[in-house]
Amino acid sequence: MHDPIGTDKEGNEITLIDVLGTETNEVVDAVQLKLASNKIYQHIHILDERQKEVIIGRFGLHQDKEKTQREIARELGISRSVV
């Protein structure tokens, strides 16, 4: 993200972060989230259906918003501690 990818008209180095025009932390967080999501998707097949629902809901996979333990517990009719 911070490696030079070229120069601007004045000869200053440009990085990918400069081109994206967003806050560094936002970009880093988005990349880390994508990498973590990919890891989850690679291994989610080993879980049973209820476990999958908990993980998908808790971490907001499939482009959904993250749900709290309480919300998931209510939806699945289980206790928060099970979530």
Side-chain angles (χ1 to χ4, degrees):
M1 293 288 194
H2 297 286
D3 292 339
I5 59 171
T7 57
D8 63 11
K9 293 178 183 176
E10 290 85 37
N12 300 315
E13 286 186 344
I14 298 175
T15 65
L16 187 56
I17 285 293
D18 296 329
V19 173
L20 294 174
T22 59
E23 292 295 320
T24 303
N25 290 343
E26 289 177 29
V27 174
V28 171
D29 289 347
V31 169
Q32 287 176 337
L33 179 61
K34 185 66 175 175
L35 291 172
S37 294
N38 287 341
K39 282 186 178 183
I40 291 171
Y41 283 122
Q42 289 173 0
H43 302 287
I44 202 164
H45 68 278
I46 64 174
L47 302 175
D48 67 35
E49 289 305 312
R50 180 182 263 178
Q51 292 169 331
K52 285 179 189 177
E53 287 183 55
V54 169
I55 297 298
I56 289 168
R58 190 70 180 105
F59 297 101
L61 304 177
H62 301 315
Q63 305 299 325
D64 295 329
K65 75 173 191 75
E66 294 178 7
K67 296 178 182 176
T68 65
Q69 287 178 311
R70 179 171 282 138
E71 291 171 320
I72 295 169
R74 191 174 332 123
E75 288 175 9
L76 298 178
I78 57 178
S79 69
R80 283 184 19 212
S81 63
V82 172
V83 172

